[in-house]
Every structure is written in structure tokens, then in C-alpha cells.
Amino acid sequence: MSAPKNILFIMFDQLRWDYLSCYKHAHLETPHIDRLASMGVRFDRAYIQSPICGSSRMSTYTGRYVHSHGASWNGIPLKVGEMTMGDHLRKVGMECYLVGKTHMRADAEGMARLGLEPDSLIGARVAECGFDVFERDDGMLPEGPEGFYDPDGAKSYNEWLRGKGYESDNPWHDFANSGLDEDGNVLSGWFLKNSAEAANIAEPDSETPYLTGRGMEFMDGHDGPWCCHLSYIKPHWPYIVPEPYASMYGPEHVPPVSRSERERENPHPIFKAFMETKVGEAFSRQDVRDAVIPAYMGLIKQADDQMGRLFAWMEDTGRMDDTMIVLTSDHGDFLGDHWMGEKTFFQDAAIKVPLIIYDPSPEADATRGAVCNALVESIDLAPTFVEVAGGAPALHILEGESLLPIVRGETADTQRDYVICEYDYSASPVADKNDIPVRDAVMFMVATERWKLIHFEGGYRPMLFDLEADPEEFYDLGDSDPHAEVIAEMYDKLFAWTRRQSQRTTRSEEQLLEMRRKSGGRGVIIGVYDENDVPLDLTVKYRGRKAPNMKARS
């Protein structure tokens, strides 16, 4: 065991924190991920920065809040000039590669304005969120009457499937994400009733094993030092899984739903709008949960088995001894909790994620198997990786803090006393259906260990939860007069966050302090009446000088 030479950064999509056995799921056994937790540190209060794929990932990849990087919803480009994990790591000698999903949209207009060609080295990195791409697979190839959602989705995977005999114009849909009836009809995984079907694909050819193999191919061909972002598509919908996983779980294994009738009694109007979405209404039905959640659990069980395959290969090849492994998710999934589906609100089912960090170095021996209750954010990963690579995090750009001191037992806590999550829903159907202006369709969450406050633009009252007395987040205290002081204190924290200096990214604090000291030595003399009023060395260039009299020259 030695100091990590490489970083394997594993991210699952839409994996709830409490659907792993190391996080105490009642029925779902995930022994391989559990083993990783026993070898490293498990973080129990890890929060994302936005409850939707694109903006959450952009915060993780940039180490910056959504308010800072601006890519606030799926499909909103990450603007040219935002430094990413890859930029920071390459600066200190570590390459940064992608195998899988980013959900990043390139700033094509910004690239064209600056003359950055997408097929150039710099242009390709800017267009791919700072990664060098081994394989990008955003894993989504839905098709509607207006065409494909993402024409490049599952591109290499579809070609690979066709090469294995899966003949279709869209093997991703017809085989990997759909069932088949006895008459040969495709049962699309897009329809929740088909979640109970087995995907019409041989299990080793499905998406999660495919990406595991690609991750191993990358590691086998690269010596390092590298950071490999192995980014899985599942257990994100479509919720459908091949055998043997399709038959592993049934309605009897579905956890009790976490919701209360109180939540629907005089609810906050924005919360009400999210409960009344089609996906919220669907997951409020038990028959939908009984069809979907066993498939969701099967996808997670398959993912854990693939982690066993991956970790065994790493041990056999020596990679486990020189590679830090970080495992997390980009957000959770309500699955009917709080009368909602999907992830676009601020209860813990959506915004709290699993986070496990395994460090092979001897300095981490004291914390193996530890559980950390510190408030952690996904923006902490980028500065952690920079420090692992031997660099000093650029804290005027990176807004998180390195977790390496926790992993190596130097401290048990972070320096923060609150976490932030943001959601800009201005481009969503919820805003359209409820006629909410673009500038008002945004909300912010600030949470401490005890309290969680949600602020809504547009003049709405806040929501407030007491996480000690009400850990399930059923009782909204946002209009409770006895809690006015708490609400004010939480707003003070939110306002302090909004006042942070987040856009001055071209000068570090050290450079600014140096500028203070050097400004007087560059000849600018302001407010000085007599040259003897300042030190001689500051005015030496203005003393003893001679010049001809040019006043009378015509």
C-alpha cells in the first residue's frame, strides 16, 4: 500500500443513499460496495448542489456552486472559461479521463466566438467538460416525433450491441431498456408498467457490465498518474433490468413509502406543484412503486456485482494498491416519497447521496471503516483530487474543501456549518404549467445539521424542517410564528453565502495580498503633498530629474 498514484472516480446516476446495505437498506445487500466502505470512509451527510443530472454534475466537475458556474439545468451549456476538474488536475501533472456519462452540453456559441475548434485538443476538452474522452456514453437514446433527445446518446454502445447481433435501429431501446412479449413485441421500458419485465438482453451485454468493461480497458492501457471518471448510467430510468436481477425482488421487498397526508394539507404552492406532476402522481400509486422499485433494486444489485468484478480485477492487477477509489451518485430518487417521483426537490431522498472514499495510503489506515457525519458537498471532490495529485487547491476558484484531512484522520469535520443546494426550474414543465416567470422559477436550500430552509423566489414564504424532531421531513414550519427566529438565522446563512466572492477567479488571495504590498512601488502616488512625506525608495524615480524648459516653445 502506498500513496495513491491514480484516482478512480465512480459515479452512479440516480442512486439513493439509503439503497445500499452499508447505509442500512432492509433488503438490498450490496457486499462489494460495503467492502469498499470498510476499507475507506463512509460519509453520512454528503449533499449535492442541485437535484438534477446536468447542474449537479457541473458542480462536481467544476468544484463550484450552480450560482457560480451557471449551468443550472439539463441542456444549459457550461460556459467557456469555467475551469473543471481536468484543468486543475492536468496543471499538477495528472491526466483526467471520462468513461461514461457527463450530461454536459458544450458552449458552442462561446467556442465559436473564441475560435476554438471542437476537434482541436483544447476545443475537445472544453466541449467535454475538461475530460479527455475514452468513451462518452450519456446512455439515453429516446426518440419522439421531433427526433432524438440526444442523437449521440449510447452511440458507441449501440454500435457494440449491433456487433454482437442485436439488430435494430436503436438497440439501446429495443434490447437494453425494453422487455419482449411472447409474440415478439417490444415492451418499452419507458412505460412504468413494463418495469417488472426482464430486459431483452443477455446480462453481460447490458449497460452496467459494458461500462465496467470499458473502465477496465482504460485502466489496463494507461499507466498514470490519471483520474478516471467511470460514470454509470444506471439505476437511472428507464427502470428495467435483465435476468437474473429482474426476478430477485418483488413488492414484498419494497420499503414502506415515506410520506404523510399532512404534506398535502394546505401545502406550500410550489411544493404542491411538484407533487402534482405526472411523475409525482404516478409514484403516489402503490402499484407503480411495486412495479418500479424491484427493478430499481435489481439495477443496484447488478451495479454492486459489477463493483465486485471491478475491484477483483483491480486487486489482481495491482491497481487497488495505487488508486484512490471514490464512489458516489449525482442525486437520488423520490420513488413516491413525499408524493413525488424523480428528484427535483430538496428532501434528503433526492439531495443526499452516498459517498465512500478509499485511500490506499498508510496515512488512511486509522480511518478504515470509519463513518463521518460532517457536512459534505459534492464540490469537495475536486479540491480533494487536486490535493491527492500533489497540488494546492485553487481556493479562489474551487468553492469546496478537500476531504483528504478527514480521510487521513487529521480532522473529523469540515469547516462549514451549512450546505447549499439550488434548483432553477425555469425551463421545466412545472414553471410552464403554473405560469411562473423565468426569473421567479428558482429556489435555494440551506441546511445545517438540524434545520433545513427552502427559499423560493417570487414572493413565496419559505419552507422549514426540523431535522432532529422530524427527520422524515413531513412538517413544514415555514409559516410557524414560533420559528421566526430560526427562519431569520437560516436566511442569514443563505445571505452570507450569496455575498461570497465567487466570480473573482483570475486572482488568488495570495496574489491580492501581494498586490497590496507592491502597488506603492510602481510609481502611483496618490494623496501625497510633499515627496518627503513618503519613504525615499517609493519616490526615487521622481527625484533629481532635469528637463529643458519647453513652455515658451511655439
Side-chain angles (χ1 to χ4, degrees), residues 46 72 82 92 135 328:
S72 59
E82 280 293 332
V92 294
E135 178 169 340
T328 190

Side-chain angles (χ1 to χ4, degrees), residues 129-152:
C129 210
F131 294 104
D132 288 324
V133 176
F134 186 76
E135 178 169 340
R136 177 169 174 176
D137 183 2
D138 276 6
M140 290 280 290
L141 194 58
E143 183 179 11
E146 297 178 3
F148 288 105
Y149 171 77
D150 177 6
D152 292 325

Side-chain angles (χ1 to χ4, degrees), residues 43-64:
F43 292 85
D44 272 9
R45 284 196 174 108
Y47 292 91
I48 56 167
Q49 270 50 79
S50 186
I52 192 167
C53 296
S55 51
S56 172
R57 289 168 176 269
M58 295 312 101
S59 283
T60 303
Y61 301 154
T62 62
R64 288 165 61 73

Side-chain angles (χ1 to χ4, degrees), residues 10 82 124 164 191 234 250 298 347 532 536:
I10 301 169
E82 280 293 332
K164 294 181 74 69
F191 304 112
K234 296 298 183 180
Q347 285 87 351
N532 295 311
L536 173 64

Side-chain angles (χ1 to χ4, degrees), residues 335 375 546:
L335 297 173
L375 291 172
K546 299 288 186 178

Side-chain angles (χ1 to χ4, degrees), residues 19-20 52 89 120 157 196 246 261 307 331 349 368 374 392 415 455-456 466 515-516:
Y19 270 65
L20 299 171
I52 192 167
L89 290 176
S120 66
Y157 179 57
E261 285 294 337
M307 292 300 96
H331 51 72
R368 302 203 187 281
Q415 298 178 42
H455 166 75
F456 304 86
D466 183 343
M515 289 170 66
R516 289 182 183 180

Side-chain angles (χ1 to χ4, degrees), residues 10 37 57 109-110 116 162 171 200 206 213 222 224 230 232 247 249 258 275 298 379 400 438 457 552 554:
I10 301 169
R57 289 168 176 269
E109 289 186 12
L116 293 175
R162 292 190 188 100
N200 182 31
S206 57
H222 292 76
L230 180 54
Y232 288 93
S247 300
Y249 306 100
S258 178
M275 288 192 290
I379 57 173
V438 166
E457 287 294 289
S554 58

